[in-house]
Amino acid sequence: MGTEDALFVPTATMANLIAVMCHCQRRGAQLLLGREAHLHVYEHGGVAQVAGVHFQALPDLPDGTFDLDQLELTIREAHGSRYHPRPELICLENTHSSAGGRALPLAYLQQVRLLADRYGLQGLGAPAGAVLAGRREFVAEAWRVRKLLGGGMRQAGVLAAAARLGLEHAETTLRRDHDNARRFAQGVQELNSPLCSVNLTAVETNIVLVGVKGDWPSPTELCERMQAVSEEEVAETGHAVSVLLFPWSARSLRAVWHWNISAHDTELAKNKLDFVARKCQEKLALGLGTSPWSTGGD
């Protein structure tokens, strides 16, 4: 890939915005996407604020897709209408973060592509990184839009070298990350804990969403306990392990694997969750778990 066919931008959010602006060049154009898509939820509505593009969010299905019949109905109602915003772009998040890193099925993507072609829409797989790639005409327009937004990137070859290295080793590292994530998810299931659970069928990539049951501990409290290290933990397990997790929702937390988390690290994380869950259960058995004073040291 030469420099004519790719554009490096400072952030993934700007990459998304530039891509949308290249496809939707008229203010008031309509963008169709999932309600829980990163572009819709976590980017301050940038495409509306900056590009003047109207969001039409469709309900997400558990696997990160949305209902194709509803998608076509939405497009058909607006197509050629004097009253509705004109739909011009469909954005799909793949893999879908809020669905637990689900990979969208190829057959689904092909159906969306056919639907987009039928109504003259663009199909955009919104990039998850800060690199845009495409035909030279698209990249030339992206360069123009990046300048409009004040974006710039110097020494882009350094970033390109990292991207090339990642692509050359992606098959091995991604498979390892996915295997480690699934091993952790299986470990959570094997714990059979009344405090946490996991849906193994939803674990497809390097993201695991762990469901948190009951009123206590909350996902935030559980994450804090997974990060903290106590003397009791070291004495009982022989390890001082700190695991960084993210409280994803009111009833779940998220774990993500990357290239420098090994199978051994994964095993330690699973054992840490076992330890934390057991200690929380002991507190609950003593009637201490829901007390305002119960979240201190173990």
Side-chain angles (χ1 to χ4, degrees):
M1 180 181 294
T3 56
E4 305 91 348
D5 308 298
L7 172 67
F8 301 95
V9 290
T11 66
T13 296
M14 182 175 284
N16 289 338
L17 180 57
I18 290 173
V20 170
M21 291 179 70
C22 288
H23 287 296
C24 301
Q25 297 184 10
R26 292 178 293 185
R27 295 186 67 83
Q30 188 177 69
L31 161 66
L32 299 154
L33 77 175
R35 190 171 293 161
E36 299 301 321
H38 191 282
L39 181 63
H40 183 240
V41 179
Y42 297 107
E43 298 187 5
H44 292 280
V47 297
Q49 293 194 67
V50 179
V53 174
H54 175 264
F55 283 113
Q56 177 66 42
L58 302 175
D60 296 84
L61 299 177
D63 63 354
T65 64
F66 37 79
D67 187 273
L68 287 173
D69 291 335
Q70 184 175 4
L71 173 62
E72 182 169 11
L73 177 62
T74 303
I75 296 171
R76 191 167 61 245
E77 287 179 340
H79 192 68
S81 170
R82 295 180 179 179
Y83 307 102
H84 293 78
R86 182 173 297 178
E88 292 190 357
L89 180 65
I90 302 170
C91 283
L92 303 174
E93 182 173 341
N94 191 27
T95 59
H96 198 294
S97 179
S98 293
R102 301 293 292 270
L104 304 189
L106 180 59
Y108 175 84
L109 297 174
Q110 291 171 333
Q111 287 179 289
V112 172
R113 175 74 264 178
L114 291 173
L115 188 60
D117 289 341
R118 184 184 311 162
Y119 289 94
L121 278 70
Q122 301 289 336
L124 169 63
V131 178
L132 289 177
R135 295 173 183 260
R136 293 193 179 195
E137 296 80 7
F138 173 81
V139 173
E141 176 63 12
W143 275 91
R144 188 191 70 80
V145 174
R146 190 189 71 173
K147 284 295 184 183
L148 171 68
L149 297 173
M153 177 65 75
R154 301 293 183 266
Q155 293 81 40
V158 176
L159 199 59
R164 179 177 178 178
L165 182 66
L167 289 172
E168 289 173 347
H169 298 279
E171 184 176 356
T172 300
T173 56
L174 285 177
R175 184 181 294 112
R176 184 193 62 197
D177 292 345
H178 295 180
D179 288 345
N180 285 336
R182 187 161 189 83
R183 188 176 295 113
F184 178 82
Q186 289 170 335
V188 174
Q189 188 179 61
E190 290 166 2
L191 291 179
N192 198 27
S193 170
L195 298 181
C196 53
S197 63
V198 68
N199 178 10
L200 274 180
T201 62
V203 181
E204 297 179 348
T205 56
N206 64 325
I207 297 176
V208 177
L209 290 182
V210 179
V212 181
K213 307 174 185 178
D215 297 326
W216 184 88
S218 68
T220 298
E221 291 168 323
L222 194 55
C223 289
E224 290 172 352
R225 288 172 176 270
M226 288 292 290
Q227 184 176 0
V229 177
S230 66
E231 293 181 0
E232 184 180 11
E233 175 190 347
V234 177
E236 184 173 323
T237 68
H239 297 285
V241 177
S242 180
V243 180
L244 298 179
L245 301 171
F246 185 74
W248 186 247
S249 72
R251 292 289 87 198
S252 67
L253 55 86
R254 188 174 79 158
V256 180
W257 274 254
H258 51 78
W259 68 273
N260 61 354
I261 298 179
S262 66
H264 179 64
D265 296 332
T266 301
E267 188 69 19
L268 290 176
K270 184 187 71 173
N271 293 340
K272 173 80 175 205
L273 181 59
D274 181 24
F275 172 82
V276 169
R278 283 191 291 104
K279 293 305 171 183
C280 288
Q281 284 180 253
E282 290 173 6
K283 281 184 172 289
L284 287 171
L286 294 173
L288 301 175
T290 56
S291 165
W293 301 279
S294 65
T295 56
D298 290 325

